[in-house]
Amino acid sequence: MGFFLETLIGGLMAGMLYSLVALGFVLIYKASGVFNFAQGAMVLFAALAMARFAEWIPGWLGFENQVLANILAFAVAAAVMFVVAWLIERLVLRHLVNQEGATLLMVTLGIAYLLEGIGQSLFGDNIYSIDVGMPKDPVLVLEGMFPGGLLINKEDFIAALIAAALVAALSLFFQKTATGRALRAVADDHQAAQSIGIPLARIWVIVWFVAGIAALVAGIIWGSKLGVQFSLATVALRALPVVILGGLTSVPGAIIGGLIIGVGEKLSEVYIGPLVGGGIEIWFAYMLALVFLLFRPQGLFGEKIIDRV
Amino acid sequence: MKLRKLAMAASLATIGLASALTAQAAAKEQYFPVLVYRTGAYGPNGAPWANGYIDYLKLVNAKGGMNGVKISFEECEFGYATDRGVECYERLKGKNGGGTVFQPLSTGVTFALTEKAAVDKIPLITAGYGRSESSNGAVFTWNFPLLGTYWVGADVAIQHIAKKEGGMDKLKGKKIALVYHDSPYGKEPIPLLQERAKMHGFDVQLLPVAHPGVEQKATWLQIRQSRPDYVLLWGWGVMNSTSLKEAQATGYPREKMIGIWWAGAEPDVKDVADGAKGYSALTLQHGAEPNSKVAQDILAMVHAKGQGTGPKDEVGSVLYMRGLLSSMLAVEGVKRAQERYGKGKVMSGEQVRWGLENLNLDQKKLDGMGFSGVMRPVQTSCLDHMGSSWVRVHSWDGAKWNFTSDWYQADEKVIRPMVMLASGRYAEEKKLKPRTPEECKQ
C-alpha cells in the first residue's frame, strides 16, 4: 500500500508539471485558435535565457549574490519572452489572420525549429544549471504507518506547488479580468472581436507573452530538475496527451488532464510495465488519452463544436 | 559550323583536363567523412567527441600528415537519428575518392550500416560501441569494435562488483538492476548479464528507459521497492544525469551505481555535482586526460594557432579523449596500410581494412605518440577485430573523475563462446561464409 501511494503521489506531482506545460498550449489555442507546436521550444528558449543570464549578470554587474542574480535573470528572460511574443505577432501572425488552422499549425512548427536553433546559437548548446535552491534530497513521512515510510520528493513537491499557484493565477486572469475576457472573445471569432474594438495585435502579443511566462516557469522547474539542455524541448511531448485528454480550450482540463496522465503513466509503468518488458509510460499516456477521445472527442472539458448546416 | 564544333571540343577538353587535375589534387589527400551530432538531445555528449576526433586529424596534418599524405575531412550532422545517420553515410561514402572509414558513434546506425559497409568496402570503426559479436572478424569482415564491446563492459562491471563483494561466489543471491536506454545500445549488455547471472546465481532486473530519458520517476520507484544491491547504468546523454538525480531523490546510494563508459563523462555529472559523489563508471581505458602529451600537443599545435574545433578547456575531457582515440585508431590503420601498400600514397577502403586488421600499437609506439598513461597496447588480427579488452573504473568526487580501480580484463572464456555463437547465427541468417585463417593470410 505504501508503495502504491508513493507511486500515486509521484504521478500527481509529475502531472502538475505536465499541466503547467499544457497550459501554454491551452492559453494560445484559446486566444488565437492556434495549436502552438512551438510550446516545447519556448520552454527550452526561456530556460536557456534564464540559465545564461543568471550566469552572465553577476559578471557584468560585479556581484556574487545568487538570489539577486536569479531575480534579475528572471526579469531579463521575461523581457526576452516579450520580445519573442512581439516578433511572432509582427512577423508571423499578423499576416495570417483568418487562415486555416492547419496553416497556423505548420507555422508554429517552423517557429519551434527557429527558436531551438536561435536559442542554442545565442545561449550555447551545452548543459547549463539553474540553481533556484530547490532541495534535492527526499523526505520520508508516515514512517509509523508504512514500513520504511512514504518517500516524498521535496523538489517535486515544491515544483508542484509553484505550478498549481501559476495555474490558479492564470485561471483567474482568464475568468475575472477584462483582458482575459478579450482573449476569449478573440478566440471565438477574430473578426467579430475586431468589430467591437478589441485590438487583435495587442491581444496576441499578450497571450503569447503569457504563454512565454508559463514556458519560463516550466523551464525553470524542469531545468532545475534536469539541467537546461535540448531535451527540455521534448517536455512538450509529455504535455500533448494532457491537452488531448483535457481539451484544448479548458484551463481546468489542463489541470485534471495533467493529473490523470501523470498518475496513469506512473502506475502503468510500475504495475503493467514489468509484464510487457517495461518502458511503456510514454505511449501509455497517449493510449490513455486516445481511449478518452473515443468517448469524448472534445476532451474532458473541451467545448463541443456544433456546425449548423 | 566548323568553328562551333571546334570551340565545343576545346571546351570539353579544358573541362576534362581541369577535372583530371582536381582528381589528382584530391587523390593526394586521404578523405575522412565524420558523422557527428552536435545538436539535439544528445548534442552535449556528441559535440566533445566530435571535437576530439577532428582536433586529432588537424594535429596529424600539423605534423605533416600520414607519411606525407594530408587528411581532408567533412562533418555530417545526424542528430543521433539512425535514418539521418544512414543518409549521411550515403552522401559521403563516395566523395573525394571515397571515405576512408566511418565511425557513427551510434549503435543504431552501426546496425544499419553493417551490411552496407561490406558492400561498399569501407571499414566501420566502432570503438566501445556497436554489435558485440562483431569482434569476430571472420564474419564481420568490415566492423572494428576496437578497444571493447558492451559485452566487455558488462563483464568487467560484474567483475568489479564481485571484487567489491569479496569474490564471484559472493554474487549468489544478489540482485543487480540494469537501467538502460531502450534502444539497440541499451539492450546490448543483456545477454552477457544473463549469462553471468546463470553462472553465479544472481538476479538481473531489467528496467528500460524510453528516449531521451528525461522521465524516470517510475523506474526509480521500482528500484526503491526492489532495493537491488547494485544498479548498472547504460544511458546516454540526458538520461545519465537524470538517473543520478532520481537516485538522489529516491535515496539510492550512488556508491552502488556503476555506469558504462558512455555514462561516465563530465556532461553526465557536472550538473549533479555533489549529488553524483561516489558514482563510478567504467572507462574505455582512458579517463579525463588533460595532462597527457597528446592533449598538450593539440593545445600547442592546433588551439594555439586558433584552429581548435571546440572550446579550449574541453581538451582532455573524457568524451573529447574518446573522440581523439577513435580518430587516432583510424589514422594508425591508414599508416599501417601504407607500410604494406606504399608510404605517401592514399589508401583505399580495402587497404585500410588490412591496416586495421594488422594494427600493433605497442607501449613504445603509444608513448611516442603521446598516449602514455592514456591507454594500453592494442593488437588486432584478421579474426580479432577488437584488439584489446582492458578497462579501468573511475569515480566522481563531486568535482572531477579519479581512477579508483586497477586494470580489469574481460574474461574471454565467457565472452568468446557468446561471440562465436551470435556471429555464427548472423552468418547463417545472412548466408555468409566466414573467413578461414588461411584466407586471412592472403
Side-chain angles (χ1 to χ4, degrees), chain B residues 31-166:
Chain B
Y31 174 60
F32 280 70
V34 191
L35 267 59
V36 299
Y37 40 98
R38 297 178 180 279
T39 61
Y42 302 93
N45 292 54
W49 185 94
N51 294 339
Y53 192 95
I54 290 168
D55 273 355
Y56 189 78
L57 298 180
K58 289 178 179 171
L59 178 69
V60 173
N61 276 346
K63 287 181 172 176
M66 300 175 297
N67 296 312
V69 177
K70 291 275 182 169
I71 295 169
S72 68
F73 55 85
E74 181 178 350
E75 280 192 28
C76 186
E77 166 71 41
F78 72 101
Y80 198 63
T82 300
D83 55 340
R84 285 172 62 197
V86 174
E87 262 178 54
C88 278
Y89 170 85
E90 293 292 351
R91 199 157 68 231
L92 301 185
K93 70 180 183 189
K95 282 181 87 173
N96 301 324
T100 305
V101 293
F102 275 89
Q103 306 207 35
L105 190 59
S106 153
T107 297
V109 177
T110 305
F111 272 67
L113 293 185
T114 293
E115 285 178 60
K116 286 176 181 289
V119 173
D120 298 324
K121 299 190 187 310
I122 303 175
L124 210 55
I125 299 180
T126 57
Y129 59 96
R131 309 178 73 115
S132 298
E133 67 269 38
S134 66
S135 59
N136 181 6
V139 174
F140 292 89
T141 48
W142 295 89
N143 293 57
F144 291 86
L146 296 167
L147 304 185
T149 63
Y150 291 130
W151 290 352
V152 166
D155 191 70
V156 168
I158 298 300
Q159 286 187 44
H160 184 61
I161 290 171
K163 194 172 179 190
K164 284 175 88 163
E165 290 293 319

Side-chain angles (χ1 to χ4, degrees), chain B residues 25-351:
Chain B
K28 292 280 180 204
E29 289 186 338
Q30 188 82 43
Y31 174 60
F32 280 70
V34 191
L35 267 59
V36 299
Y37 40 98
R38 297 178 180 279
T39 61
Y42 302 93
N45 292 54
W49 185 94
N51 294 339
Y53 192 95
I54 290 168
D55 273 355
Y56 189 78
L57 298 180
K58 289 178 179 171
L59 178 69
V60 173
N61 276 346
K63 287 181 172 176
M66 300 175 297
N67 296 312
V69 177
K70 291 275 182 169
I71 295 169
S72 68
F73 55 85
E74 181 178 350
E75 280 192 28
C76 186
E77 166 71 41
F78 72 101
Y80 198 63
T82 300
D83 55 340
R84 285 172 62 197
V86 174
E87 262 178 54
C88 278
Y89 170 85
E90 293 292 351
R91 199 157 68 231
L92 301 185
K93 70 180 183 189
K95 282 181 87 173
N96 301 324
T100 305
V101 293
F102 275 89
Q103 306 207 35
L105 190 59
S106 153
T107 297
V109 177
T110 305
F111 272 67
L113 293 185
T114 293
E115 285 178 60
K116 286 176 181 289
V119 173
D120 298 324
K121 299 190 187 310
I122 303 175
L124 210 55
I125 299 180
T126 57
Y129 59 96
R131 309 178 73 115
S132 298
E133 67 269 38
S134 66
S135 59
N136 181 6
V139 174
F140 292 89
T141 48
W142 295 89
N143 293 57
F144 291 86
L146 296 167
L147 304 185
T149 63
Y150 291 130
W151 290 352
V152 166
D155 191 70
V156 168
I158 298 300
Q159 286 187 44
H160 184 61
I161 290 171
K163 194 172 179 190
K164 284 175 88 163
E165 290 293 319
M168 284 289 185
D169 56 317
K170 301 286 192 302
L171 292 178
K172 196 172 172 61
K174 293 269 184 276
K175 187 181 275 181
I176 298 173
L178 173 71
V179 176
Y180 66 96
H181 195 271
D182 197 4
S183 65
Y185 152 59
K187 289 173 185 166
E188 270 294 303
I190 295 173
L192 188 289
L193 292 175
Q194 287 171 337
E195 181 65 24
R196 278 283 194 187
K198 259 194 291 179
M199 288 168 66
H200 309 294
F202 61 84
D203 283 333
V204 181
Q205 185 185 12
L206 300 175
L207 296 166
V209 173
H211 153 86
V214 291
E215 192 48 62
Q216 297 181 36
K217 187 168 293 301
T219 304
W220 287 88
L221 282 171
Q222 288 176 83
I223 286 175
R224 176 170 150 70
Q225 187 195 28
S226 61
R227 296 177 201 279
D229 297 286
Y230 289 91
V231 169
L232 299 181
L233 178 58
W234 228 267
W236 184 224
V238 68
M239 177 185 156
N240 295 330
S241 53
T242 306
S243 286
L244 288 162
K245 285 175 183 176
E246 287 293 349
Q248 185 182 13
T250 45
Y252 189 83
R254 264 68 76 205
E255 293 77 13
K256 299 277 185 181
M257 291 175 69
I258 300 158
I260 180 63
W261 41 68
W262 299 111
E266 290 83 357
D268 305 318
V269 288
K270 224 164 61 181
D271 185 43
V272 199
D274 278 354
K277 225 175 186 173
Y279 166 66
S280 297
L282 309 175
T283 67
L284 195 67
Q285 303 205 8
H286 66 89
E289 314 281 358
N291 299 319
S292 59
K293 187 170 177 303
V294 65
Q296 293 301 316
D297 282 353
I298 283 178
L299 286 173
M301 299 177 77
V302 180
H303 272 268
K305 291 180 181 162
Q307 292 169 354
T309 313
K312 203 171 167 182
D313 56 6
E314 181 191 79
V315 175
S317 63
V318 176
L319 289 170
Y320 180 95
M321 290 304 294
R322 187 79 40 82
L324 186 152
L325 248 71
S326 303
S327 187
M328 178 274 282
L329 292 166
V331 167
E332 289 308 309
V334 175
K335 283 163 75 177
R336 181 77 180 99
Q338 285 177 332
E339 286 174 20
R340 180 176 186 185
Y341 298 105
K343 286 188 180 176
K345 288 184 180 169
V346 171
M347 295 291 106
S348 69
E350 276 181 294
Q351 289 167 334

Side-chain angles (χ1 to χ4, degrees), chain A residues 201-215:
Chain A
R202 208 175 75 200
I203 289 297
W204 275 346
V205 172
I206 290 172
V207 79
W208 277 77
F209 174 56
V210 173
I213 295 296

Side-chain angles (χ1 to χ4, degrees), chain A residues 51-73:
Chain A
R52 298 301 272 159
F53 283 120
E55 197 182 316
W56 291 336
I57 288 173
W60 292 339
L61 303 181
F63 65 87
E64 285 182 1
N65 188 323
Q66 184 66 45
V67 178
L68 183 59
N70 282 335
I71 292 169
L72 290 175

Side-chain angles (χ1 to χ4, degrees), chain A residues 22-210:
Chain A
L23 202 64
F25 284 100
V26 172
L27 285 175
I28 288 178
Y29 190 82
K30 270 173 82 79
S32 55
V34 177
F35 184 83
N36 179 25
F37 221 88
Q39 192 61 33
M42 284 168 69
V43 171
L44 171 68
F45 192 88
L48 276 171
M50 172 77 195
R52 298 301 272 159
F53 283 120
E55 197 182 316
W56 291 336
I57 288 173
W60 292 339
L61 303 181
F63 65 87
E64 285 182 1
N65 188 323
Q66 184 66 45
V67 178
L68 183 59
N70 282 335
I71 292 169
L72 290 175
F74 184 88
V76 177
V80 168
M81 293 317 287
F82 179 79
V83 173
V84 169
W86 182 78
L87 285 173
I88 288 173
E89 190 281 323
R90 187 49 68 103
L91 301 177
V92 183
L93 297 178
R94 181 172 287 202
H95 308 285
L96 295 171
V97 177
N98 287 326
Q99 292 297 315
E100 289 289 323
T103 309
L104 294 165
L105 171 72
M106 297 313 284
V107 164
T108 64
L109 266 175
I111 293 173
Y113 285 116
L114 263 177
L115 283 179
E116 283 170 13
I118 294 173
Q120 291 184 91
S121 301
L122 284 178
F123 301 115
D125 53 9
N126 227 316
I127 303 170
Y128 304 102
S129 303
I130 292 182
D131 181 9
V132 285
M134 296 277 251
K136 304 287 181 191
D137 290 315
V139 62
L140 291 169
V141 296
L142 302 175
E143 286 182 82
M145 203 178 285
F146 302 105
L150 271 187
L151 182 133
I152 305 287
N153 185 335
K154 279 194 276 185
E155 184 180 29
D156 282 355
F157 183 68
I158 293 170
L161 285 182
I162 294 170
L166 189 72
V167 167
L170 288 172
S171 301
L172 285 176
F173 170 73
F174 255 92
Q175 301 299 328
K176 304 287 179 193
T177 66
T179 312
R181 279 193 293 277
L183 290 171
R184 280 156 49 207
V186 169
D188 280 346
D189 191 323
H190 297 167
Q191 282 173 329
Q194 265 181 318
S195 71
I196 57 163
I198 294 174
L200 202 56
R202 208 175 75 200
I203 289 297
W204 275 346
V205 172
I206 290 172
V207 79
W208 277 77
F209 174 56
V210 173

